[in-house]
Amino acid sequence: MKNEEKQIMAQYDLIEYNDVGRLTNMDDLQNMVSKSKQINFAPGELRGLILLQRNALRRGNYNLSGKYGDEAEKLAQAEDNNYALGLIQLNKACVAIGLGLPAEAKNILESNSYGEKMDNVADKNIYLCNSYMLLASIYSDMGAKKTMLQYQKKSLEILESTPIDTLTDYQKIRYYYLEIFQLMNLGLAYAFNPKNPRLDLAEPYFKKALGYAETHPQYFKLCDIEVYESVSAFYYEKKDYHKSIEFSQKVLELERKKKKPEERLAAYENIKDAYNALGNKEQELKYLTLYTNLNDSIKNAQKVSIINQSQKKINTYKDASNKNRLIIIVTASGIILLIVFLFWNYNRKKDREHRKKYDDLISELKHKSTEPNESSEVKDQIVSNISSETEKKLLKKLETFENSEKFLKKGINIAYLSNLLNTNPKYLSEVIKNYKSQNFNAYINSLRINYIVDHLYNDPKYREYKISYLAEECGYASSQVFVIAFKKEKGVTPSYFINQLNSVETV
């Protein structure tokens, strides 16, 4: 390998060694890809593309991740690089999970045979561990807790079968990072199983994970806050409230250095609840005040800044109806097998929000059939350049259109609808804005999503269809666009909505 090529690979090594669980500057990666292209160094170009694919995934930019993934895949196939092809497929599976397409992700993983073709035992085992974790996340989302647990165990077993003395320094950081999280995940799986919690089986996993703080502190520090937060929740569940407080205090100590306000918020909430259980009203009030002030501060900050939705972290998660519900989230890999994953955990706040949106939606659907249909009435206070008579006629035509299901036509636009209603686009746009409180695209999306929600709620056979079929059924050419529109309209993904409907029926 030439000196220039060695320098490029050394830069990649440095980036990947230091960015476990973090984001890498995309411009730096693109510059390295360009340098590799200039000197015809395919391995450098391929490595950079996979890193770009992974970082776009972390940022929640799934379209960009797909673009880099496709570029990397073509190059990896030309190079006959099974290792790179495997990592690309893992990242693609993560994208599918992020978009609420678990069946597609499952298909990608189960048809992916690149792991078995890898020569290096450590790379192969860590790769397979990662793949099993993703499958566990999918089965968890499907409600198949038994199968989820089997894959979690299989993931840890394959990882721990790796000969540690053969690991390079670079592989060690990935191995121990993943080992600690997998121990934590299995502890959480047993402790917070909604049907059969087993605190006795959970505790050994938590203790083993904590043991790395003493034996391998250089690796434990990469995920110390997340482990302490999980252990705090475990001891709260065990009703050992003093230990729960002790580990949440460790979270607060580390947060002062690492500056993770969401983790501080979770710690305040845990301590507040523990003091409440102990009957210490004075301390409960203290941490309630701290929690409230920080929560308000975070909300205000969110109003003036764009929050990166791909930030990787563990959150407290409590189900409103099942007390505690854990979800496995996803892993994302890099080229020398950088294992960066979103592990499953209990996130009280987010689950409450999802559950509330689901409950609100169900309540709306239940009352829909008993309440008279609301007609679009002309509102006197609206200032319009259109005559009152014209508005009334146009609103009546829109009502007919909404009942005709013509909004399901693919590629429908304002010009088509204007022609259909025998009006002009300007009038139509103004009436929709004034009386539907939406622009044209949002109006069509709401009609389509409400249509498919009604069918999913009233006709169980629709819940068996693939997301791609549901998307096509209500006029979307792309599953991804459908998922995004559904979540924007209803606050949850179609997969979440379907799973909740099915879980209610099986109770």
Side-chain angles (χ1 to χ4, degrees), residues 232-337:
S232 174
F234 165 74
Y235 281 116
Y236 181 90
E237 191 68 14
K238 196 179 177 182
K239 296 182 171 53
D240 190 339
Y241 302 117
H242 291 291
K243 273 196 174 181
S244 179
I245 292 169
E246 175 190 339
F247 282 103
S248 279
Q249 290 291 359
K250 288 180 180 289
V251 172
L252 293 178
E253 290 171 14
L254 290 167
E255 193 278 332
R256 293 189 188 100
K257 299 176 183 177
K258 295 192 174 185
K259 304 299 181 184
K260 294 184 176 183
E262 292 288 351
E263 306 297 353
R264 185 167 18 125
L265 186 70
Y268 285 157
E269 184 173 19
N270 289 344
I271 296 172
K272 167 181 67 70
D273 292 344
Y275 276 123
N276 173 264
L278 289 168
N280 189 330
K281 298 300 180 184
E282 182 180 351
Q283 288 297 314
E284 180 191 2
L285 180 58
K286 172 186 173 180
Y287 283 95
L288 173 61
T289 302
L290 289 170
Y291 174 86
T292 303
N293 292 340
L294 180 58
N295 191 41
D296 290 342
S297 177
I298 290 173
K299 286 182 178 179
N300 289 334
Q302 288 173 340
K303 292 177 182 179
V304 296
S305 64
I306 299 174
I307 303 301
N308 190 327
Q309 297 301 318
S310 64
Q311 181 181 4
K312 309 306 182 196
K313 68 182 188 62
I314 189 170
N315 300 311
T316 47
Y317 204 105
K318 184 178 284 185
D319 187 280
S321 61
N322 291 324
K323 187 179 182 181
N324 285 292
R325 173 179 173 268
L326 301 180
I327 61 169
I328 299 176
I329 314 178
V330 299
T331 57
S333 302
I335 183 63
I336 307 300
L337 207 51

Side-chain angles (χ1 to χ4, degrees), residues 292-459:
T292 303
N293 292 340
L294 180 58
N295 191 41
D296 290 342
S297 177
I298 290 173
K299 286 182 178 179
N300 289 334
Q302 288 173 340
K303 292 177 182 179
V304 296
S305 64
I306 299 174
I307 303 301
N308 190 327
Q309 297 301 318
S310 64
Q311 181 181 4
K312 309 306 182 196
K313 68 182 188 62
I314 189 170
N315 300 311
T316 47
Y317 204 105
K318 184 178 284 185
D319 187 280
S321 61
N322 291 324
K323 187 179 182 181
N324 285 292
R325 173 179 173 268
L326 301 180
I327 61 169
I328 299 176
I329 314 178
V330 299
T331 57
S333 302
I335 183 63
I336 307 300
L337 207 51
L338 173 62
I339 305 296
V340 181
F341 59 93
L342 288 175
F343 37 83
W344 59 276
N345 200 357
Y346 48 96
N347 185 324
R348 299 182 185 124
K349 180 182 176 181
K350 288 185 178 179
D351 191 60
R352 281 199 296 265
E353 290 174 352
H354 284 156
R355 188 70 199 188
K356 183 179 185 303
K357 288 173 182 175
Y358 171 79
D359 289 341
D360 289 346
L361 179 52
I362 293 299
S363 177
E364 178 186 330
L365 289 166
K366 285 180 178 178
H367 289 88
K368 188 172 183 180
S369 58
T370 61
E371 294 178 352
N373 291 331
E374 294 183 6
S375 59
S376 300
E377 299 177 357
V378 178
K379 302 176 184 179
D380 295 334
Q381 69 270 28
I382 291 177
V383 178
S384 174
N385 296 319
I386 311 173
S387 69
S388 176
E389 188 63 29
T390 301
E391 283 183 332
K392 288 180 181 179
K393 289 180 180 179
L394 190 46
L395 286 167
K396 189 67 176 177
K397 289 179 181 179
L398 278 175
E399 186 176 348
T400 302
F401 166 71
E402 291 167 7
N403 293 327
S404 71
E405 298 183 358
K406 290 183 180 179
F407 51 81
L408 300 178
K409 175 182 171 62
K410 288 182 181 178
I412 188 171
N413 55 36
I414 196 164
Y416 167 85
L417 187 55
S418 298
N419 184 61
L420 182 68
L421 303 184
N422 194 27
T423 186
N424 66 64
K426 183 178 179 182
Y427 282 5
L428 178 59
S429 178
E430 186 172 340
V431 167
I432 290 174
K433 179 181 177 182
N434 289 341
Y435 294 94
K436 307 295 180 179
S437 301
Q438 296 171 307
N439 61 31
F440 176 79
N441 288 333
Y443 169 63
I444 296 298
N445 279 334
S446 67
L447 293 175
R448 288 174 169 177
I449 299 304
N450 285 330
Y451 167 88
I452 206 66
V453 164
D454 284 339
H455 280 68
L456 288 168
Y457 180 70
N458 294 305
D459 191 347

